[in-house]
């Protein structure tokens, strides 16, 4: 190959390589649309244990006596886990309604809620209600420690109190029968307002900015 | 070789790419012939750059640590970009490699394992790339993570929906980034296993491109990494809805499509496409008849020289004990491993092995009965062309007066066939093979050269004037090179005395039998 042809080929191959690399870099970072328009979003996201609706009765001394010592619970409860009605209205219009239950086949796992509602940017009256669908005579579970029996001695001393305390702890950990939020939110263009359940304050709250975290710097 | 319409279409595409690259770079530097090895080269680049990046990645602050790496003007910035571009090139190379093998009907039969393991390796590579982008935790990484969670959440695997992790309801847990990093690091072990399977049925696998091309490609990518640094989007923020993300379409081309349909539809498409791809060997399989007949051995002719097992590119031939009283081993072909390339036929001096119709004896019979009669009144230069040679090259050679003799692979051509052409009065024989890394028989051009000029069995006999024999390459897009080689060879043969045609050529083949006692381990 002559020197001139070799130089030409070198130039052409260099230009072709440069063009291929530019194409590679462009394809590697193509600006692909994700969220169209200036639409904002209301996001509902929380995790909470469903309430257990129980009917409890106190076992008689004869019944307890027939049971192995380590199984002698005073109170026998039967029941199921509550389901909830979620209703979201925006500016008086129903944006979404759903029945929410705990996860798992028996619905005994926590409720994992994640719903999103697109809406125009600006101020909107937002109402969220999360209400237990089952009605009971008394929202507070009737469960009180009964008088200690003779068997509650030794290793089992104080068992009735512990049963009551455990029951109360579970009731406190469950989501309240009624949760509500009624507020006016101002949505920035392409902004997200998050409605979540504060397990400590036991109420719904709104967040519009990231929490300090490894993933959301 | 019969091709399906889809294979023909793929072949046209590959030929067009080859032709374009050959015009620009010359066939010897055509990267499209090297896509399998380029993919492996890119894996090595990914391994080296990945180990460096790992030193500076922080699980507790993924976005900041990657931003810090990207901002490092000395090393981190371009190493990260090189890691990214090597990923892209790996995907391109693996996809083109698969397309080439499909176009050349190399996707079925004994090659099925290579096909399926290659797909597995590509799939693992894509999973690895996915987790790599998530590691950066920019808007594109978050987009991939969210879509991944959406797809996984319909599977009954996780007790809590993954999607909630990214909702802003609490910090994205470090455990998520740990698991993601774990997958990103462990999955390449699967790549290694896939690669091992991929080449497990070939002899002398070539894993890397020629050194010059390899350095040129890595160098070009380094330059691109410095001049065009890979993009890094803004850090992910669950409370913002970006209009666009800087998306790597080479890896995540499916993302905008997947987001538009339900997870069930996405899984259905992925499942159907995967099934189709895995079943390609079944769709493209042919009856093992005609040109696809596996090689057989004529034990009466086999001298036990042990050459055909050494030359077989697929490890399909072994030497076993004879069942008669001759004191040598005998070759045996495993039809399940034989791809009918016919290279063994070119290696066998006594012409006792090869696919039916392609053994040395079959070649001589064909030449005697069909071709030599056409030599009268004046024999022409014989141009032996691989069946894969572009039709335009064959036509151009014919137009220049050459007598074209097609063979399935130049590695199949028996040296006695060349001798017969020359002794029958042909001024010369020029053999056009495929580019060495694009041979459907893998090692045809290599063994041809060894047999013609380096005394490899079955060597061209010393009585044949080597000035009347030449080897050239017929690469798509290089018609000028093909014709230049022909003109140069024709000029050379004109200077030689006109050979006298022998009346009834009998080619003696010589081969030293190996006694059983010497050959047996």
């Amino acid at each position: 190959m002559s020197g001139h042809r070799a130089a030409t080929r070198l130039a052409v191959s260099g230009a072709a390589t440069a063009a291929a690399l530019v194409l590679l870099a462009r394809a590697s970072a193509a600006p692909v649309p994700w969220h169209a328009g200036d639409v904002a979003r209301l996001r509902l996201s929380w995790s909470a244990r469903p309430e257990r609706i129980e009917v409890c009765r106190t076992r008689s001394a004869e019944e307890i006596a027939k049971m192995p010592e380590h199984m002698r619970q005073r109170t026998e409860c039967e029941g199921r886990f509550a389901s909830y009605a979620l209703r979201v209205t925006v500016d008086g219009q129903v944006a979404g309604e759903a029945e929410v239950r705990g996860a798992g086949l028996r619905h005994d796992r926590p409720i994992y809620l994640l719903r999103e509602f697109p809406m125009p940017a600006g101020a909107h009256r937002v109402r969220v209600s999360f209400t237990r669908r089952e009605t009971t005579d008394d929202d507070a579970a009737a469960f009180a420690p009964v008088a200690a029996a003779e068997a509650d001695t030794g290793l089992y001393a104080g068992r009735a109190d512990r049963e009551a305390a455990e029951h109360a702890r579970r009731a406190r950990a469950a989501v309240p029968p009624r949760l509500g939020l009624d507020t006016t939110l101002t949505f920035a263009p392409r902004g997200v307002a998050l409605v979540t359940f504060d397990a400590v304050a036991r109420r719904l709250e709104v967040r519009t900015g990231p929490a300090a975290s490894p993933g959301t710097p | 070789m019969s091709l399906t319409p889809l294979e023909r279409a793929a072949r046209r595409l590959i030929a067009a790419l080859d032709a374009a690259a050959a015009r620009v770079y010359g066939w010897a530097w055509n990267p499209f012939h090297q896509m399998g090895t380029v993919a492996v080269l890119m894996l090595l680049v990914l391994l080296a750059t990945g180990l460096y990046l790992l030193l500076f990645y922080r699980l507790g602050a993924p976005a900041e640590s990657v931003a810090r790496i990207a901002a490092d003007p000395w090393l981190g910035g371009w190493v990260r970009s090189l890691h990214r571009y090597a990923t892209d090139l790996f995907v391109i190379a693996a996809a083109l490699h698969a397309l080439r093998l499909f176009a050349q009907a190399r996707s079925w039969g004994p090659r099925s394992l290579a096909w399926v393991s290659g797909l597995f390796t590509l799939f693992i590579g894509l999973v690895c790339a996915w987790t790599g982008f998530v590691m950066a935790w920019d808007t594109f990484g978050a987009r991939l993570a969210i879509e991944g969670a959406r797809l996984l959440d319909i599977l009954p695997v996780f007790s809590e929906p993954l999607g909630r992790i990214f909702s802003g309801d609490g910090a994205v847990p470090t455990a998520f980034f740990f698991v993601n990093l774990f997958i990103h690091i462990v999955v390449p072990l699967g790549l290694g296993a896939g690669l091992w399977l991929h080449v497990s049925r070939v002899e002398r696998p070539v894993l890397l491109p020629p050194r010059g091309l390899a350095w040129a490609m890595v160098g070009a990518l380094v330059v691109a990494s410095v001049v065009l640094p890979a993009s890094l989007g803004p850090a992910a923020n669950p409370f913002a809805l970006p209009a666009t993300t800087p998306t790597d379409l080479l890896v995540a081309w499916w993302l905008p499509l997947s987001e538009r349909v339900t997870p069930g539809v996405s899984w259905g498409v992925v499942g159907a496409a995967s099934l189709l791809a895995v079943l390609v060997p079944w769709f493209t399989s042919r009856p093992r008849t005609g040109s696809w007949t596996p090689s057989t051995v004529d034990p009466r002719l086999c001298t036990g020289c042990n050459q055909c097992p050494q030359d077989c590119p697929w490890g399909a031939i072994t030497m076993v004990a004879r069942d008669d009283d001759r004191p040598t081993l005998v070759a045996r072909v495993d039809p399940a491993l034989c791809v009918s390339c016919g290279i063994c036929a070119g290696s066998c001096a006594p012409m006792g092995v090869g696919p039916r119709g392609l053994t040395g004896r079959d070649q001589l019979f064909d030449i005697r009965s069909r071709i030599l009669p056409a030599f009268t009144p004046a024999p022409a230069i014989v141009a032996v062309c691989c069946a894969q040679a572009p039709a335009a090259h064959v036509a151009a050679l014919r137009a220049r007066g050459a007598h074209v003799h097609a063979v399935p692979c130049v590695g199949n051509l028996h040296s006695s066939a060349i001798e017969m052409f020359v002794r029958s009065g042909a001024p010369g024989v020029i053999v056009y093979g495929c580019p060495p890394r694009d041979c459907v028989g893998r090692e045809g051009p290599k063994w041809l050269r060894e047999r013609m000029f380096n005394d490899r069995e079955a060597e061209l006999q010393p009585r044949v004037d080597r000035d009347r024999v030449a080897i050239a390459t017929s690469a798509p897009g290089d018609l000028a090179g093909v014709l230049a080689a022909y003109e140069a060879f024709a000029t050379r043969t004109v200077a030689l005395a006109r050979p006298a045609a022998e009346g009834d050529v009998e080619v003696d083949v010589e081969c030293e039998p190996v006694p059983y006692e010497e050959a047996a381990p």
Side-chain angles (χ1 to χ4, degrees), chain B residues 97-123:
Chain B
H97 179 58
L99 183 67
R100 177 177 295 273
L101 295 194
F102 175 77
Q104 293 177 340
R106 295 162 73 183
S107 55
W108 60 279
R111 288 151 165 152
S112 300
L113 177 67
W115 178 267
V116 175
S117 58
L119 287 179
F120 170 76
T121 307
L122 177 57
F123 174 76

Side-chain angles (χ1 to χ4, degrees), chain B residues 128-364:
Chain B
C128 201
W130 188 329
T131 54
F133 282 113
V134 171
M135 280 175 71
W137 206 237
D138 60 349
T139 48
F140 176 50
R143 186 176 183 179
L144 277 174
I146 290 168
E147 182 59 13
R150 196 177 75 97
L151 295 176
L152 289 175
D153 277 343
I154 70 158
L155 304 179
V157 176
F158 302 101
S159 60
E160 180 174 357
L162 291 176
R164 281 200 63 248
I165 297 176
F166 317 113
S167 69
D169 178 17
V172 178
T174 303
F176 167 76
F177 293 105
F178 174 77
V179 171
N180 187 65
L181 176 64
F182 180 77
I183 295 171
H184 189 67
I185 291 174
V186 167
V187 157
L189 297 178
L191 278 174
L195 192 59
W196 173 78
L197 263 180
H198 192 59
V199 298
S200 61
R201 283 201 175 172
V202 297
E203 296 290 311
R204 300 168 291 279
V206 178
L207 294 175
L208 290 173
R211 189 171 296 176
L213 183 64
W215 283 116
M217 295 192 85
V218 173
L221 283 184
V222 169
V223 170
S225 302
V226 172
V227 178
L228 303 164
S231 67
L232 180 67
N237 177 1
F239 293 93
L241 303 171
T244 62
T245 54
T247 303
D248 191 326
L249 285 178
L250 296 164
V251 171
W253 51 269
W254 49 268
L255 183 62
L257 306 173
S258 176
E259 287 173 339
R260 282 179 169 76
V261 297
T262 63
V265 171
S266 290
W267 279 114
V269 171
V270 168
S274 303
L275 192 64
L276 271 177
V278 168
L279 290 180
V280 160
W282 185 71
F283 292 135
T284 56
S285 70
R286 277 93 165 159
R288 300 302 299 267
T289 56
S291 59
W292 302 110
T293 309
S295 286
T296 51
V297 176
D298 186 341
R300 296 167 303 170
L301 299 175
C302 178
T303 61
C305 72
N306 199 34
Q307 188 61 44
C308 54
Q310 293 181 44
D311 283 13
C312 177
W314 315 96
I317 307 178
T318 50
M319 301 302 293
V320 298
R322 301 188 70 104
D323 57 6
D324 55 26
D325 56 357
R326 287 166 62 182
T328 61
L329 297 172
V330 65
R332 185 175 64 189
V333 178
D334 182 347
L337 298 178
C338 176
V339 303
S340 314
C341 65
I343 283 179
C344 53
S347 76
C348 184
M351 308 183 197
V353 63
R356 198 172 62 185
L358 295 177
T359 66
R361 280 164 201 269
D362 293 325
Q363 293 177 38
L364 295 186

Side-chain angles (χ1 to χ4, degrees), chain B residues 372-465:
Chain B
L372 292 188
F375 269 27
T376 53
I381 288 177
V382 176
V384 180
C385 292
C386 174
Q388 309 292 322
H393 294 190
V394 174
L397 289 170
R398 282 208 175 100
R400 276 160 178 74
H403 180 93
V404 175
H405 176 59
V407 290
C409 171
V410 293
N412 172 238
L413 181 68
H414 200 281
S415 57
S416 296
I418 294 175
E419 181 179 349
M420 177 165 275
F421 281 129
V422 173
R423 290 175 62 188
S424 299
V429 178
I430 181 167
V431 185
Y432 286 98
C434 297
R437 296 285 184 98
D438 192 33
C439 171
V440 293
R442 289 190 62 238
E443 297 181 319
K446 180 171 78 172
W447 292 152
L448 173 75
R449 184 169 293 280
E450 293 293 306
R451 292 167 190 161
M452 297 302 111
F453 299 114
N454 291 324
D455 286 342
R456 188 181 184 85
E457 291 281 355
E459 74 275 19
L460 185 63
Q461 295 300 306
R463 56 183 170 259
V464 179
D465 183 358

Side-chain angles (χ1 to χ4, degrees), chain A residues 5 9-10 12-14 16-18 20-37 39-41 43-47 103-104 109-114 116 189-194 196-197 207-217, chain B residues 22-27 59-64 84-85 88-89 92 133 137 139 142-143 146 159-161 163-164 166-174 177 220-221 223-224 228 230-231 235-250 256 259:
Chain A
R5 285 190 61 194
R9 166 162 279 182
L10 196 62
V12 170
S13 58
T17 304
L21 290 172
V22 169
L23 269 179
L24 181 75
R26 290 279 177 272
S28 176
V32 173
W34 191 8
H35 299 291
V39 175
R41 192 168 288 187
R43 179 182 296 152
L44 273 57
S45 172
W46 63 79
S47 166
R109 304 278 302 143
I111 292 164
Y112 299 115
L113 185 82
L114 179 60
E116 294 197 330
R190 302 188 176 287
V192 174
L194 171 72
T196 187
F197 172 60
R207 291 182 201 158
T208 54
S213 74
T216 55
Chain B
R23 285 190 193 101
V24 173
Y25 299 107
W27 64 262
L59 287 173
E64 293 101 323
R84 169 88 160 258
Y85 292 149
D88 295 330
L89 203 47
I92 293 172
F133 282 113
W137 206 237
T139 48
R143 186 176 183 179
I146 290 168
S159 60
E160 180 174 357
R164 281 200 63 248
F166 317 113
S167 69
D169 178 17
V172 178
T174 303
F177 293 105
L221 283 184
V223 170
L228 303 164
S231 67
N237 177 1
F239 293 93
L241 303 171
T244 62
T245 54
T247 303
D248 191 326
L249 285 178
L250 296 164
E259 287 173 339

